[in-house]
Every structure is written in C-alpha cells, then in structure tokens.
Amino acid sequence: MDESWKSSWQRARNHEGVTRGARAFCALAAVLAWGWWAGWQAELMPVLLGVIASALTETDDSWRGRLRAQLLALGCFGLMALAVWATVAWPWALMGVLALSALAFTLLGALGERYRAIAFGSLVLFIYAALAAHTSRAGAAQATPLMLAGAAWYGLVSVAWAWAMPRAPVRFRLARLYAVLGEYLRLKALLLEPVRDVDLERRRMALALHNGRVVDALNAAKESLMSRMGRGQPPAWLQAAMHQYLAAQDVHERASSSHEHYDLLATAFFHSDVLYRCQRVLTLLGEQSLKLSLAIQQQSPPQHGGMTSRAIEDLQAAIAHQDGIAAELAGAQGAAPMARPLRSLHALGHNLAAMAAVFATALGGAAADERGGVDHALFDREPRSLGDAWGRVRAQLHAQSPWLRHSVRLALSLLAGFALMQATSDPHGYWILLTIVFVSQPQYAATQTRLVQRAKGTAIGLALGWAAIQLFPGALVQAALLVLGGAVFFGARHTRYVLATAAVTTLLLLGFHQMGMAQGVILARLLDTAAGCLIAAAASWLVLPHWQSRQWPRLAAQVLQTQALYLRAILAQYHSGKRDHLEYRLARRNAHNADAALSNSYSAMLKEPRSVRGNVEVVANFLRLSHTQLNYLSALGAQRGGAGADMDAADEEMASALLLSLQQLAEKLEQAQQASGARTGKAPAAPAVAQVLQEFGPTGSAPPHAPARSLMAAQLALVGKVFPQLQEQARQLVEPPHGRAV
C-alpha cells in the first residue's frame, strides 16, 4: 500500500494539471486568508480576478523566463487598466479601445505560445477591469490597483514555484512524449499483420493522424527543455532529460520508417510467422515506451522483463530460417525471387534491434551521448529581438494570414457583443464579452468545440454553485469551495474544458454571493453565455472563415518542400557519416512538423460544414501518400551509417531527380495557392488553377524506377513509386469539384 501511495504521489506531483491547480490553490487561499484577516471581504473579488488573469498568462518556462513574461504581462495589464480608466465613462469609446486591443494583441499570437498567453490574459483583464469599474472612473481607480496587486501576487507565486521545482514540467512532457510514442508503435505494429483483406489504408490514416500528436509532444518537450537551457553547462538532470528527448527523436525516426510495401511483405511471408514476430517486437517496444513514461514520471527505474531481447533473438532466428529457404529456392530455380522482400525484412529486423538499443539507454543519462559526441544544441524559435518580433507580426499582415483573420473576427465579435450589452442595458453583459474571448479560436472546428464545452460547463457550474450556496450557507465553507474551484479550473482547463468551465463558474457565483451581488446572477450568466456563444459561432462562419480546404495547397507545398530538405540532409549524412547534429535534426523535425500540420488540418476539416470541405477524399489520399513517402525517407535516415548504406553514382542521380521533383511540385502548389488566393470568398476558377499544373502530368518528372541495387536504391525506388501518385492527388487538390466552395 505504501509503495502504491508513493507512486501515485510521484505521478501527481509531476503532472502539469496538478501543479497548475496547486499553484492556483496556494495563491487564492492566501488572498482569501489575507482578506478575512484584514476584514477586506468587499475588496476580494478584484484581487481574485487579477489572480485569474495573471494565471491565464502562465506557460511552461524557467523561473527567469517566467519573471520576464510576468513583467511583460504586468506592463500589458497596466496599459489595459489605463485604457479602461480613460474610456469607461464613454461606453462607445471603451468599445472601440476593446476592439483595437483585440486586433493588436491577437496578432502577437504569431510570436509564440508565451505571447499568445499574455495577449489572452490582457484581454481578459481588460474585460474584468471594465466589469469591476461599474461605468465610472472612480470605480476603475478603486478596482485597478487591486487587480494589479492580485496579478503581481500570482506572478510572484509562479516565479517562486518555477525556481523551487524546475524539473516537474520537463518530466511531465517527457513522460507524455513516451506515452504517445508507445501508442504510435502499437499502431505501427498493426501494419505488419499478414492477414488477407486488411484495410491497410485505414490503418495508415490512423497512423498519420496520430503522428501529429507525437510531433506535438516532441515540440512541447523541446520547448520545455529549451526554456531551461542557460548559457553555461546545464545541470546533470537537464542533460539526462535532453538525452531522453534525443532518444525519443531517434525512436520516432526509426518507428516512422517503412522499408517496403506491407502488402508485398504479407504476400511474400504469408506462410511464415516472421511478420508476426516483427509485430510482436514492435508491440513490446510500444509497451516498453509506456513503461519508460511511467518511470520518468515516478522517477524510478523502468521494469524490464527481458521479453524484448528474447523476442528479437527469435526474430533473428526466423529471418535466418527465411534466408535458408530463399537460398534453396534460388538454387532450385536459378533465380532469387525472394531477394527484394528478404532485403526489406533484414532492414526491418535491423531497425527493430536498433530501436530496442535506443530504449535500453534512454534512461542512461548523458553519459551515453558522450561516447557518440551527440550535439545537444536546440533551435530556438522565439523572436531574438524587437526587430525580429516586429518582422514576424508584419509578415501576418496579409489576407491569407490565419492570425490576421482571427484578430479581425475576434474584434468584430466583441463589437457585436458590446453593442448587444448596451442595447439590453445588461448589468452583467461583460460576461458576453468574456464568453466570446474564451471560445473564439483561429479554426472554425476549434471554436465550435469550445463553445459547446463552454455552454455545458456553465450550466453545470451554475447548478453546482446554486447547490453549494443552499447546502453550505457558511461564509468560511463557501470560501474554501471558491479556492477549490479556482484550483480545479487551472488544473483542468487544458485537458477537460467542461470541468474547468464548471469550476470557474462556481467560483464566480460563490464570489458574487459573498459580496452580496448574487441576485439574478444565475439567469444572467446563462443568457450571457448563450449570447456570447451564438455571436462567436456566427463570426466563425461569416467573418473571414479560415476553411481548411483553402489552406491545403500551401500546406501540401510545405510538406513536399520540407521532405526535399530532409532528403538533402540525409544524403549529406551518407557522404559525411552519421551525426545527429542540429542541422540534421532540424531538417527532420521540420518535415515531421509539416506532416503534423497537414494531419491536424485534415482532422479540423472533417469537423467543418460539408459545403466547404472541398474534395475530402483527395485530401485524405494526399495525406496518406505524403506520410507514406515520409516513412520511406525516414527509413533512409534510420539506415545512416549502417551496413549496406553505400551510395554510388546511380543512387546519387536518382536522389537528385527526386529532390528536383519534390521541389518542382512544391513550387507548383505554391503557385496554385497564389492563383486562388485573391478569391478567398469564392471557389477558385478551376481552369486558371489547373493551368498552373498543366506541364506537370500524372507521371511528370518523377524519377525512373531503377532496379534496387542497395538499401538506398530500394528506398529511393519506393519514394519514386509514391511520387507520381502524389502528383495526381496534387492535380485534383487544386481542381475542386464544379460548384463546390473552397
């Protein structure tokens, strides 16, 4: 029992949601305790609102980064409070400043997650300040210092927490990374099942969609590590975490590798158990990844039963047996009909053994890296100067930018909400604006999901709040429930939004009740939430909608371009020798990021109205084929430095042809995007767009299918077979069905 309790405690203290909730609990409890001790119950609500606004700006960061972000957030908060004080007596001026603030702050989202959080928290504080001011400068002058004090207090708690416990967020992200990687290995193992009439295309699509989650987890882990990298030598724990991250990258490249069409392997080895043995090894590696996830979270050694090593030994024996059978067939028939599938089987077996070796050293710390001279450098995507930041924002000032569209949509939504509030003289009408800010997302599908969750959570929270007021009339118990509601809100808002909304609604209802302002709040909150959701839903449909079908030529072009750069980096490694330096890892990560963007866009497209989806079948085919092509390229990357990884002149010529083909098709898709870009409100004219790809026929300049002389030649030939199919899907991608809007 003690060991079980200890492991549960270790998981909890390293879970991001639990630590966020604990920080909010400490900050809110201290505020309430001070208010009760000093007799400032009437002043508590502005302070609590300041705490909430500050907590909304929090992202995973080191204590130094959190301090810089907090100072910037306080500066933005002060600017917003000043704007409210200056315009609160003139509602229409206040409305204009709110719309301009939404327009400007939303564009900061292009700079990164830290700035998106600060912009969001600043808009929320603007509305809180206007709500607390009660349409008078005197009210604003009284409430603003209290809100800023609450924001500063939470910032102090956050910075101190980040200084005292810097490891927990890194552990959480690494544990999550290995968990989603384990699921990826399980899905990959399903492709190796040698059974007739298996829907491999559906399984490939599931793998491609889950790859987006793996890439997101890799990026989150990288950012968590990057924020804690100082200028000097990193501490031992950070070096060990960096080793685990690089090991996960290596596993991901090997896991995403494909050495042959799986249906060909299934046909060739249908009467053998060798593919089942491959599947078993891959499944065991997936289970090992999940065990590593638990070990990282619990800070304990992973449990190894030796099953993986024995399964690999059995697999190697089965491959050797197939070699003997193939030799007998070649001797009897005077040919080698099994040469190609056997070569791929050997490559698969080698890759699985290498993957198991990576897992064996994943928790070995940085010492394992020192022997290989691994480059620990990471690429920082944050803006490096004010000029760089302004350049990134300025790059969004065009009609196709999702951030500009979202900022305009949000500003107009807030104008509509404010106008409704003024027309109805609703004293709680600022909740309409809060609902709009919380549910509005850059994508239509995300907005629809969020507003449904918001409505459900509000209804549940009001019911819970009413029940709490009736069942626990004591002020002290209600204060405790208020603190608990804040902790649940911040702990669950990234993972369980319905629960988070219910918690914060309960918090606000209890807070207003303690201030003697609960009369009519329940009905007003329900109506205002419904009004805000309706306005946000209408805006996501009518105001510069960011339909995914319009973005696909550009996203597809990015996929092809990054795959070309990945192939170029791989070829450079074949010349210079295997080294996982920053340049190679960046090329590999960019290719997977583009693939993830494509899969995430497809998932969002399926949630959009049918009339604007475009040709979903073509989109699905392109995604599946592009991910398959990336799998073949990843196999080339996994083979670097291995046996048979030689490249002769013919291989180099074939690789150069592939590079040129990928780049040319990417350019054609970019041109197609530009050709239709001026027609964002209508379907692009099919003849004009088709003309862009006119000279790029179904076979186009795809490299010839040369006979495979080596492992590299075999992989290049596989890419060469996929590429013409991608060309055909690209042609259909920019030729929408007649009369269908994109």
Side-chain angles (χ1 to χ4, degrees):
M1 180 65 69
D2 290 340
E3 286 299 322
S4 175
W5 182 89
K6 182 179 178 181
S7 63
S8 299
W9 164 246
Q10 289 287 1
R11 283 198 300 271
R13 66 177 294 203
N14 289 310
H15 192 282
E16 186 176 47
V18 173
T19 54
R20 283 182 185 272
R23 280 195 297 275
F25 183 89
C26 292
L28 292 171
V31 167
L32 285 174
W34 175 265
W36 276 73
W37 178 79
W40 289 357
Q41 285 88 349
E43 289 81 8
L44 279 178
M45 184 53 70
V47 180
L48 293 177
L49 294 178
V51 169
I52 292 173
S54 181
L56 291 174
T57 69
E58 190 176 42
T59 57
D60 177 36
D61 215 334
S62 65
W63 73 267
R64 293 182 181 87
R66 181 61 188 141
L67 178 60
R68 289 192 295 269
Q70 181 63 25
L71 292 175
L72 179 59
L74 285 175
C76 293
F77 286 0
L79 184 64
M80 293 293 95
L82 180 62
V84 171
W85 175 84
T87 60
V88 69
W90 301 280
W92 298 108
L94 181 66
M95 180 182 72
V97 172
L98 174 60
L100 288 175
S101 300
L103 193 66
F105 275 105
T106 305
L107 284 174
L108 292 179
L111 300 181
E113 182 185 4
R114 176 188 297 172
Y115 301 95
R116 285 196 290 273
I118 292 174
F120 178 70
S122 299
L123 287 176
V124 170
L125 185 123
F126 186 106
I127 299 172
Y128 283 164
L131 173 65
H134 298 297
T135 70
S136 69
R137 283 190 170 185
Q142 183 180 4
T144 295
L146 296 173
M147 283 191 181
L148 293 179
W153 163 242
Y154 185 83
L156 181 63
V157 171
S158 178
V159 172
W161 196 291
W163 174 80
M165 289 179 280
R167 306 185 187 188
V170 177
R171 290 197 191 106
F172 174 76
R173 280 166 171 73
L174 285 172
R176 180 177 177 274
L177 169 57
Y178 276 98
V180 296
L181 199 55
E183 176 64 11
Y184 185 86
L185 291 169
R186 186 191 70 82
L187 292 173
K188 185 78 173 186
L190 295 177
L191 294 177
L192 292 172
E193 193 171 18
V195 178
R196 291 189 180 95
D197 300 326
V198 171
D199 190 354
L200 284 177
E201 301 306 320
R202 181 179 58 82
R203 294 185 178 184
R204 280 191 178 278
M205 178 59 73
L207 193 68
L209 293 176
H210 188 74
N211 187 61
R213 303 183 189 98
V214 177
V215 172
D216 289 342
L218 279 166
N219 290 335
K222 193 268 286 185
E223 293 300 327
S224 187
L225 290 165
M226 188 76 212
S227 66
R228 290 162 177 80
M229 288 287 183
R231 295 182 179 178
Q233 182 74 8
W237 73 268
L238 193 55
Q239 294 183 45
M242 186 66 194
H243 170 74
Q244 292 159 11
Y245 167 73
L246 294 177
Q249 275 201 334
D250 193 0
V251 168
H252 183 225
E253 182 175 53
R254 294 185 178 280
S256 60
S257 300
S258 293
H259 296 86
E260 186 54 87
H261 294 290
Y262 292 112
D263 50 357
L264 185 145
L265 291 177
T267 302
F269 301 109
F270 184 78
H271 298 289
S272 168
D273 68 347
V274 67
L275 285 185
Y276 280 115
R277 294 191 181 278
C278 291
Q279 187 182 45
R280 172 172 164 75
V281 171
L282 204 51
T283 301
L284 289 173
L285 289 174
E287 294 174 0
Q288 195 166 340
S289 185
L290 294 175
K291 291 177 181 178
L292 272 172
S293 173
L294 287 174
I296 292 171
Q297 206 165 23
Q298 298 175 7
Q299 304 172 61
S300 61
Q303 301 297 321
H304 293 293
M307 297 178 63
T308 305
S309 58
R310 290 194 293 272
I312 290 176
E313 292 174 1
D314 293 343
L315 171 61
Q316 291 171 343
I319 293 175
H321 180 68
Q322 290 300 315
D323 286 338
I325 295 176
E328 293 177 4
L329 285 175
Q333 301 177 7
M338 297 291 291
R340 174 180 168 182
L342 267 178
R343 180 178 54 243
S344 299
L345 185 62
H346 276 280
L348 176 58
H350 173 76
N351 195 37
L352 292 174
M355 203 185 307
V358 174
F359 272 121
T361 61
L363 291 185
D369 292 341
E370 293 174 0
R371 296 190 295 270
V374 176
D375 180 8
H376 280 186
L378 294 174
F379 182 71
D380 189 2
R381 299 182 186 270
E382 292 287 323
R384 295 175 174 80
S385 64
L386 288 176
D388 184 16
W390 168 240
R392 297 190 189 190
V393 172
R394 188 173 55 186
Q396 301 299 318
L397 302 180
H398 60 88
Q400 298 303 311
S401 166
W403 288 110
L404 180 63
R405 286 169 167 260
H406 179 47
S407 64
V408 172
R409 191 183 309 121
L410 179 59
L412 293 178
S413 299
L414 290 173
L415 286 175
F418 200 99
L420 178 62
M421 180 181 72
Q422 292 297 311
T424 57
S425 300
D426 184 358
H428 301 291
Y430 284 100
W431 284 342
I432 300 175
L433 307 183
L434 281 174
T435 300
I436 292 172
V437 170
F438 272 93
V439 305
S440 295
Q441 304 294 316
Q443 291 182 350
Y444 170 87
T447 300
Q448 301 301 311
T449 300
R450 183 58 60 88
L451 65 87
V452 171
Q453 293 173 337
R454 183 82 179 180
K456 289 181 180 178
T458 298
I460 295 172
L462 290 174
L464 290 176
W466 177 84
I469 291 171
Q470 301 301 316
L471 294 174
F472 307 104
L476 186 60
V477 176
Q478 289 185 13
L481 292 176
L482 189 151
V483 172
L484 181 61
V488 172
F489 169 66
F490 287 106
R493 74 186 187 96
H494 290 295
T495 54
R496 303 178 66 183
Y497 194 73
V498 173
L499 175 62
T501 303
V504 76
T505 302
T506 304
L507 180 155
L508 293 174
L509 190 60
L510 291 172
F512 277 109
H513 182 264
Q514 294 212 342
M515 294 170 61
M517 300 169 56
Q519 187 68 29
V521 166
I522 293 179
L523 182 60
R525 179 78 172 180
L526 273 175
L527 294 177
D528 290 341
T529 298
C533 288
L534 288 175
I535 291 173
S540 67
W541 173 271
L542 299 173
V543 182
L544 298 176
H546 190 65
W547 304 127
Q548 297 303 309
S549 58
R550 291 176 182 163
Q551 316 310 315
W552 261 74
R554 176 180 57 84
L555 294 175
Q558 288 178 355
V559 163
L560 296 169
Q561 186 64 40
T562 54
Q563 287 185 7
L565 295 175
Y566 182 28
L567 177 57
R568 180 173 294 164
I570 291 172
L571 296 176
Q573 296 261 314
Y574 274 81
H575 285 294
S576 62
K578 179 179 180 178
R579 263 195 76 204
D580 280 339
H581 51 57
L582 177 60
E583 183 180 356
Y584 175 79
R585 287 188 281 110
L586 185 59
R588 177 175 64 190
R589 186 56 35 218
N590 287 339
H592 280 284
N593 283 341
D595 182 78
L598 206 64
S599 65
N600 293 337
S601 177
Y602 175 74
S603 297
M605 179 187 292
L606 295 180
K607 299 176 184 177
E608 293 178 348
R610 291 183 180 274
S611 59
V612 297
R613 289 182 191 174
N615 197 330
V616 178
E617 184 179 355
V618 171
V619 166
N621 290 337
F622 189 96
L623 171 61
R624 188 168 55 248
L625 289 168
S626 65
H627 186 71
T628 301
Q629 183 168 268
L630 180 59
N631 292 161
Y632 293 148
L633 293 177
S634 296
L636 275 175
Q639 291 168 188
R640 294 169 296 137
D646 301 324
M647 182 169 61
D648 55 24
D651 294 340
E652 193 152 2
E653 181 182 358
M654 190 176 182
S656 299
L658 270 173
L659 274 172
L660 181 60
S661 299
L662 289 168
Q663 291 169 342
Q664 284 181 344
L665 184 54
E667 290 172 3
K668 302 301 179 184
L669 285 169
E670 284 283 3
Q671 293 172 21
Q673 180 79 47
Q674 294 169 7
S676 60
R679 300 174 175 267
T680 55
K682 303 177 182 179
V689 177
Q691 188 177 2
V692 178
L693 295 182
Q694 185 174 4
E695 69 274 20
F696 226 79
T699 56
S701 58
H705 301 157
R709 300 165 303 277
S710 64
L711 286 175
M712 165 166 266
Q715 292 304 130
L716 292 174
L718 288 171
V719 177
K721 290 178 180 178
V722 171
F723 186 76
Q725 302 175 58
L726 268 179
Q727 285 179 305
E728 180 58 30
Q729 297 305 315
R731 175 183 294 281
Q732 296 183 45
L733 193 63
V734 296
E735 291 179 351
H738 180 68
R740 178 176 292 175
V742 296

